[in-house]
Amino acid sequence: MSASPQDIAGKRCLYTGETFQEAFRVLGKLRQGEAPIPTAANPDQVLLEARVLLNLLESRNIYTRYPLGIVAVHPAPDTIGLQVESVERATEILFNILPAFGPDGELHGVPGLRIARWHKTAIELRVLGQPARLRLSGLPCRLWRQAEADTLPGWIDPAEMRLCWRSSPAQYTTVERERRNMWEDPDDDYVQRVRRGAWLSSGLLRRAALLHTVSNAFAADGYHSLGANVAPLVVRSSHVRGHGPGPHHIVAALLDPVFGLPLRVARFQGDTDESYGADQHFVLKDRSGTGALDLRASTEKPSSRMDDTLWRSIMRRLPTRGFTGPEAGPLAILNCVGAP
């Protein structure tokens, strides 16, 4: 029996964090046979999304209500939208993705990324000479302008920094061109491993809400590590003990044959009984060997630096139900370990 449009919309909401009305409206525009969560339509979009996800994971200097500071994602074939939680998180994101360099010539951010348009409640960013687009929403325009301005004091010596998106809005700077060429180097083995696995990071960004819709995660960070044939993406998630569904629900959702990604569980360490609060370690890989997700879930108490009001807000938003499906239980997931 096929799922109803309402069921499909409800399930998409788990992955994206969209409202039911938003998901239902988007799904109503799909052509028959199109995936309910589309993949990025071109390699440039895939690479931009991979860079953005890595930035969201690596650059965490503030605590947020949602694990990544992202309330919802809005994936479309030619772009992706991220609904940002607060002006502080917006500033942090812009600080780390907008390109700038100082006297040492070291480039920070994404080469060629520019603010292309200001909207009433969003800003649109594009990579020069490419179709890749990113839309950041969730704040009124005046706060987006404040967030962009607030990036400047983040530098140790702002007067010495060259802000490429301001000083060279229509063309690449020399340093940006050099960095872009480095990340396109066909002779650099690590660069090529990262590029081959970019589809995984892009796919995860398009499903980023899973961290807070189907599990009791309250924080997440990560990085790329070195692997023999791939550059595994390490995601470290912090979970609340005894409140809401545990981390295995994230894995179950990623294994879903329609909404998930083409992954299998290659390795597992930990206790399947999450009521004990034991850590869990999942390694998921694709069958072609191009991507690997290293999910390290820990049951932790909040940091002493986290504000009590914020922690109470996190506890109120924790889901009461996790992901339901054919592989939703811990033991069912473990039956997939080593599957061909």
Side-chain angles (χ1 to χ4, degrees):
M1 183 177 179
S2 60
S4 68
Q6 290 79 8
D7 290 339
I8 296 173
K11 201 166 186 179
R12 173 172 158 131
C13 292
L14 294 178
Y15 290 80
T16 65
E18 297 167 308
T19 66
F20 180 84
Q21 289 77 12
E22 288 172 331
F24 193 80
R25 183 170 60 251
V26 170
L27 291 171
K29 298 177 181 178
L30 295 181
R31 294 188 294 268
Q32 187 172 4
E34 285 188 303
I37 299 180
T39 57
N42 62 79
D44 292 328
Q45 184 69 32
V46 171
L47 290 174
L48 174 61
E49 292 177 14
R51 291 288 300 273
V52 170
L53 177 67
L54 187 61
N55 177 271
L56 292 176
L57 292 169
E58 286 185 330
S59 308
R60 301 309 317 273
N61 297 314
I62 60 173
Y63 288 104
T64 50
R65 187 168 185 253
Y66 296 87
L68 294 177
I70 301 298
V71 179
V73 296
H74 305 282
D78 60 345
T79 187
I80 189 167
L82 304 179
Q83 183 180 338
V84 180
E85 174 181 320
S86 64
V87 66
E88 292 80 12
R89 184 59 169 141
T91 300
E92 187 177 53
I93 292 171
L94 292 177
F95 177 82
N96 286 288
I97 66 174
L98 288 173
F101 65 92
D104 59 355
E106 180 66 24
L107 181 73
H108 304 268
V110 179
L113 189 66
R114 301 292 188 267
I115 298 176
R117 186 174 300 175
W118 300 86
H119 297 277
K120 187 175 180 180
T121 59
I123 59 172
E124 183 178 312
L125 299 97
R126 291 175 178 256
V127 179
L128 291 171
Q130 297 180 5
R133 293 190 300 160
L134 169 67
R135 181 184 174 94
L136 300 176
S137 65
L139 301 172
C141 184
R142 64 177 180 82
L143 292 184
W144 279 114
R145 292 190 181 276
Q146 176 186 323
E148 188 251 359
D150 286 348
T151 62
L152 188 59
W155 301 107
I156 295 174
D157 191 350
E160 296 294 325
M161 296 302 298
R162 181 174 181 183
L163 310 179
C164 303
W165 79 95
R166 286 185 173 183
S167 65
S168 183
Q171 60 185 0
Y172 282 86
T173 63
T174 300
V175 175
E176 286 180 290
R177 252 191 313 270
E178 293 173 351
R179 179 58 63 88
R180 182 190 64 179
N181 292 339
M182 183 184 76
W183 281 103
E184 294 176 353
D185 186 354
D187 297 323
D188 189 305
D189 183 60
Y190 177 72
V191 167
Q192 293 306 312
R193 277 182 281 173
V194 171
R195 289 175 68 91
R196 284 195 298 270
W199 66 268
L200 174 58
S201 296
S202 172
L204 288 172
L205 183 63
R206 289 169 172 256
R207 296 160 175 81
L210 285 176
L211 283 169
H212 65 258
T213 61
V214 302
S215 85
N216 53 7
F218 66 88
D221 62 13
Y223 55 92
H224 269 303
S225 66
L226 294 175
N229 300 310
V230 297
L233 179 65
V234 178
V235 177
R236 301 179 300 193
S237 56
S238 300
H239 298 260
V240 183
R241 180 178 179 178
H243 295 273
H248 76 268
H249 288 273
I250 300 172
V251 178
L254 291 175
L255 296 178
D256 185 85
V258 176
F259 287 82
L261 293 169
L263 298 169
R264 61 183 178 87
V265 180
R267 189 166 70 249
F268 170 80
Q269 290 179 306
D271 196 320
T272 57
D273 189 346
E274 292 170 347
S275 64
Y276 287 109
D279 296 346
Q280 294 183 330
H281 183 187
F282 298 91
V283 176
L284 288 77
K285 297 181 178 180
D286 72 313
R287 288 178 172 80
S288 63
T290 61
L293 172 62
D294 187 333
L295 179 60
R296 305 176 185 182
S298 301
T299 302
E300 300 176 351
K301 293 181 179 179
S303 168
S304 59
R305 295 188 293 113
M306 183 182 291
D307 180 77
D308 287 342
T309 301
L310 175 59
W311 179 246
R312 288 194 295 269
S313 176
I314 291 172
M315 293 296 290
R316 286 195 299 270
R317 69 119 186 101
L318 289 179
T320 57
R321 295 181 59 190
F323 184 83
T324 57
E327 295 170 344
L331 296 179
I333 291 173
L334 295 187
N335 286 336
C336 300
V337 174

